[in-house]
């Protein structure tokens, strides 16, 4: 059994220069890396191909949910591993995932650690050890057995934001979800461009809107207004 790593991207060329060699170094035999792009202007696809990924393409539909589903459609392995471009999984990521699946956990993610930012961010990282939806996020990466992924219908492409929350919520209704006892290193760039309090308040507000069923258009527009993303 091996792993298909799927990376949704939009203008992530510089981050891929770190992530792809890292993934390749620890990817087991038979593994593959797929970069699913949303029309980047910084040569993301070209750079990904030069770095030796198996597939790098511009997806027919933009949006992280659609991009990840597109990658899953190409993947030939029985285990899918969705990774954001501005993260670095532990060097043991392949063993962690395959051991989790062998133990009966078909879906899971890591805890969080950050590559910078204020000291208070360690508090955010601490709470990600708890297996609650509020403490989860796509930047913690997500592994899932392909059969389970398809049984759940993949990511809902109507989601412009928080597609990971929606998927994990659906997972937890039918099978156990595992938080692995290691951390993935996540870029602190969102905190650097804003500030600690602003990012946390925005995240709390988004979770509240999600739980109360706010429209995706409203949520995405509100998030862009609350935070500087570029």
């Amino acid at each position: 059994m091996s792993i298909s790593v799927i990376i949704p991207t939009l203008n992530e060329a510089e981050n891929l220069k770190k992530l792809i060699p890292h993934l390749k170094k620890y990817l087991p035999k038979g593994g593959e890396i797929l970069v699913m792009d949303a029309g980047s202007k910084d040569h993301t696809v070209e750079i990904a191909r030069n770095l030796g990924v198996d597939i790098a393409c511009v997806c027919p539909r933009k949006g992280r949910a659609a991009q990840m589903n597109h990658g899953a459609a190409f993947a030939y392995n029985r285990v899918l591993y969705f990774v954001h471009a501005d993260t670095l999984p532990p060097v043991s990521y392949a063993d962690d995932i395959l051991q989790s699946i062998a133990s009966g956990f078909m879906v899971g993610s890591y805890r969080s650690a950050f590559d910078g930012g204020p000291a208070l961010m360690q508090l955010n990282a601490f709470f990600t050890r708890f297996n609650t939806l509020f403490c989860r996020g796509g930047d913690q990466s997500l592994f899932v057995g392909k059969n389970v992924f398809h049984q759940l219908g993949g990511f809902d492409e109507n989601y412009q934001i928080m597609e990971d929350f929606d998927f994990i919520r659906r997972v937890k209704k039918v099978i156990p979800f595992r938080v692995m006892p290691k951390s993935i290193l996540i870029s602190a760039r969102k905190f650097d461009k804003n500030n600690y309090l602003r990012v946390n308040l925005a995240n709390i507000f988004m979770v509240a809107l999600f739980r109360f069923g706010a429209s995706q258009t409203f949520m995405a527009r509100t998030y862009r207004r609350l935070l500087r993303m570029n």
Side-chain angles (χ1 to χ4, degrees):
M1 183 187 300
S2 198
I3 298 170
S4 294
V5 184
I6 299 168
I7 309 169
T9 57
L10 178 61
N11 297 322
E12 294 285 7
E14 290 305 310
N15 282 318
L16 289 186
K17 292 176 184 177
K18 295 182 294 184
L19 175 61
I20 291 174
H22 177 83
L23 291 169
K24 289 181 68 176
K25 185 175 181 179
Y26 303 105
L27 188 65
K29 183 178 180 179
E32 61 175 348
I33 300 175
L34 303 90
V35 171
M36 299 289 111
D37 193 63
S40 295
K41 305 301 183 184
D42 66 349
H43 306 291
T44 289
V45 171
E46 179 183 347
I47 286 171
R49 289 172 179 164
N50 290 339
L51 289 168
V53 302
D54 296 88
I55 298 176
C57 66
V58 177
C59 297
R61 182 176 177 182
K62 295 182 180 180
R64 203 155 52 201
Q67 290 166 243
M68 292 190 290
N69 284 345
H70 197 63
F74 281 108
Y76 63 73
N77 285 310
R78 292 166 53 193
V79 181
L80 308 177
Y81 184 39
F82 299 97
V83 181
H84 287 190
D86 62 344
T87 67
L88 285 176
V91 298
S92 59
Y93 76 90
D95 288 339
D96 297 338
I97 291 168
L98 295 178
Q99 288 173 12
S100 291
I101 288 179
S103 299
F105 292 97
M106 298 303 296
V107 191
S109 70
Y110 283 107
R111 302 173 184 179
S112 297
F114 296 96
D115 67 358
L120 277 172
M121 289 176 65
Q122 294 185 27
L123 185 62
N124 293 53
F126 172 81
F127 281 104
T128 61
R129 70 190 59 212
F130 300 113
N131 196 350
T132 65
L133 188 62
F134 180 77
C135 298
R136 302 273 62 80
D139 50 8
Q140 295 158 351
S141 69
L142 178 76
F143 75 84
V144 56
K146 186 189 285 187
N147 288 343
V148 172
F149 183 79
H150 289 307
Q151 287 168 10
L152 291 169
F155 293 100
D156 187 338
E157 296 185 10
N158 293 312
Y159 275 75
Q160 302 174 46
I161 184 172
M162 300 186 78
E163 72 291 329
D164 43 8
F165 274 67
D166 169 69
F167 185 78
I168 294 171
R169 180 174 61 178
R170 287 186 279 127
V171 165
K172 287 191 165 192
K173 290 179 180 179
V174 293
I175 58 173
F177 182 92
R178 187 182 188 215
V179 179
M180 293 182 287
K182 295 181 184 178
S183 298
I184 186 170
L185 188 64
I186 301 168
S187 170
R189 61 183 176 177
K190 189 187 300 181
F191 292 86
D192 293 337
K193 292 175 182 177
N194 298 275
N195 63 60
Y196 178 80
L197 181 60
R198 190 179 185 90
V199 173
N200 278 284
L201 289 175
N203 289 342
I204 291 169
F205 189 41
M206 288 301 105
V207 171
L209 291 176
F210 174 79
R211 289 189 177 278
F212 284 104
S215 76
Q216 280 292 299
T217 300
F218 176 75
M219 289 178 64
R221 184 172 63 244
T222 301
Y223 196 65
R224 287 193 294 267
R225 287 175 177 174
L226 289 173
L227 297 179
R228 292 188 294 273
M229 304 301 292
N230 299 313

